[in-house]
Amino acid sequence: MRRSAIPVLLLTLLVGCAPHEPSAGDASSTFPSAPQSTPSPSPSSPASESYTFRLPLAVYSYSDADYEVIRSAEQVLARDCMRDFGLPYRPARNPAPAGAQDRRYGLTDRASAERYGYRMPPQAETPKAKLTEDQMKVLYGNRSAPAAAVKNSELRYRGKKVPDEGCLGAAVLGFRKPYEDEAGAEVASRIATASYENSQKVPEVRAVFGKWSSCMKQKGYDYASPLEAMAAPAFVRGKVSAVEKDTAEADVSCKERTRLAEVWFAAESSIQKDMIKAEAGALRRLGELHEKKLRAARKILAGA
């Protein structure tokens, strides 16, 4: 998570275009710019309540379930492409998502603080499908290890040209293109960034930062804001120490006592509502394209 600016989670979820680099042999990965996200919160888990997904701008984002529908549709298209080359392809199943860690307003999960301090809890590793050299060559194209060994050559398999980006890349890029809206995504990113930064200047937010800081001082910690605590060098490098865990626990406790996250969320929500009204046209188109993409993905899965 980014510390002093807008959290990475925010841009990933509200714009829906975080890059992910697949490794040769990782058949469950997607091509760069395919949607990725941090797991959505469980409705039954108050500790993992997501403020990001409750912000007004979140209606223009993909949910975690949406991302999985899109990813699955891309994998079906990749499978069909592989079949055209006479090769089987069955991607590895993704592991069940772990609990959400929404750090937009800093650390708010007491259980996580007690166990991991300010660090993100470990995520389950995505299993890798077992692929032959031929499968990797056709699935990943010029990004595969076999192709990398032969530079500047047209990649072919059994006399048939392999897409430069491979079957997986061709599936992702081809499916994504009709629903791209760079202008709308830029508007959403700008609103997400500006609302987060401007909310920190709101008098109510500045006041609650002061209350949080006073609470922390009573516990023996000197930080002006929760962002400063989370960005402490000792808490982002090396092993998690007892001091870090104690600080993180105090941080969450003071947030709960002062209702810091709730106050901050209310302030940013108000800012976003005004900004969304000013950009209604661009955001409406972005939302419409998201819906069209999801409908197309569901249609692909229905015919699979």
Side-chain angles (χ1 to χ4, degrees):
M1 292 297 150
R2 197 172 299 173
R3 307 302 184 188
S4 59
I6 188 168
V8 172
L9 171 65
L10 158 74
L11 295 180
T12 303
L13 299 180
L14 298 187
V15 182
C17 58
H20 177 65
E21 296 287 331
S23 60
D26 182 359
S28 61
S29 300
T30 51
F31 202 72
S33 296
Q36 301 289 321
S37 76
T38 296
S40 300
S42 167
S44 62
S45 177
S48 63
E49 183 179 47
S50 171
Y51 292 100
T52 299
F53 274 107
R54 290 166 48 214
L55 284 166
L57 193 59
V59 299
Y60 302 100
S61 71
Y62 293 113
S63 70
D64 217 44
D66 293 338
Y67 281 123
E68 184 57 26
V69 168
I70 292 169
R71 191 201 73 86
S72 296
E74 293 164 350
Q75 294 287 353
V76 168
L77 294 175
R79 180 204 65 186
D80 292 346
C81 173
M82 294 286 281
R83 284 178 177 174
D84 290 341
F85 286 90
L87 292 169
Y89 171 57
R90 185 176 182 179
R93 184 180 296 275
N94 274 356
Q101 281 288 306
D102 187 350
R103 302 286 180 92
R104 188 172 184 79
Y105 305 128
L107 179 63
T108 57
D109 189 324
R110 182 180 293 275
S112 181
E114 293 173 350
R115 188 170 183 182
Y116 304 109
Y118 284 101
R119 318 303 172 93
M120 294 296 289
Q123 299 293 312
E125 289 189 14
T126 301
K128 296 182 179 181
K130 295 180 180 180
L131 301 175
T132 66
E133 185 172 299
D134 284 348
Q135 285 175 312
M136 286 193 290
K137 175 181 177 181
V138 177
L139 186 63
Y140 296 115
N142 287 330
R143 296 168 56 81
S144 68
V150 183
K151 298 183 180 297
N152 303 319
S153 64
E154 182 178 78
L155 198 59
R156 305 187 74 84
Y157 180 74
R158 293 180 179 175
K160 185 175 180 179
K161 186 181 183 306
V162 176
D164 289 342
E165 61 277 8
C167 278
L168 183 55
V172 173
L173 296 174
F175 180 64
R176 181 184 68 184
K177 192 171 181 60
Y179 311 104
E180 288 181 335
D181 182 12
E182 292 184 7
E186 190 281 327
V187 168
S189 289
R190 177 160 42 82
I191 290 175
T193 304
S195 67
Y196 181 79
E197 294 175 347
N198 293 341
S199 66
Q200 297 176 55
K201 304 171 186 176
V202 173
E204 291 82 358
V205 175
R206 294 175 66 88
V208 81
F209 274 15
K211 293 178 182 178
W212 175 90
S213 182
S214 295
C215 176
M216 289 292 281
K217 283 183 180 179
Q218 292 173 12
K219 295 176 180 291
Y221 305 100
D222 187 14
Y223 295 105
S225 80
L227 298 181
E228 181 182 328
M230 196 162 61
F235 301 160
V236 297
R237 292 190 296 269
K239 294 183 178 181
V240 179
S241 65
V243 171
E244 178 179 345
K245 292 179 181 179
D246 290 344
T247 306
E249 290 178 52
D251 182 347
V252 173
S253 178
C254 286
K255 282 194 181 83
E256 293 173 348
R257 183 186 300 181
T258 61
R259 299 186 68 251
L260 183 147
E262 289 83 354
V263 172
W264 197 348
F265 171 79
E268 186 174 13
S269 294
S270 178
I271 292 172
Q272 281 197 2
K273 287 176 182 177
D274 289 339
M275 298 183 76
I276 288 171
K277 286 181 182 178
E279 300 283 3
L283 291 174
R284 187 182 304 113
R285 172 172 167 74
L286 180 66
E288 289 171 351
L289 286 172
H290 279 191
E291 285 300 316
K292 288 181 179 179
K293 185 173 184 178
L294 279 171
R295 285 198 297 270
R298 292 187 183 107
K299 185 175 181 180
I300 290 171
L301 294 178

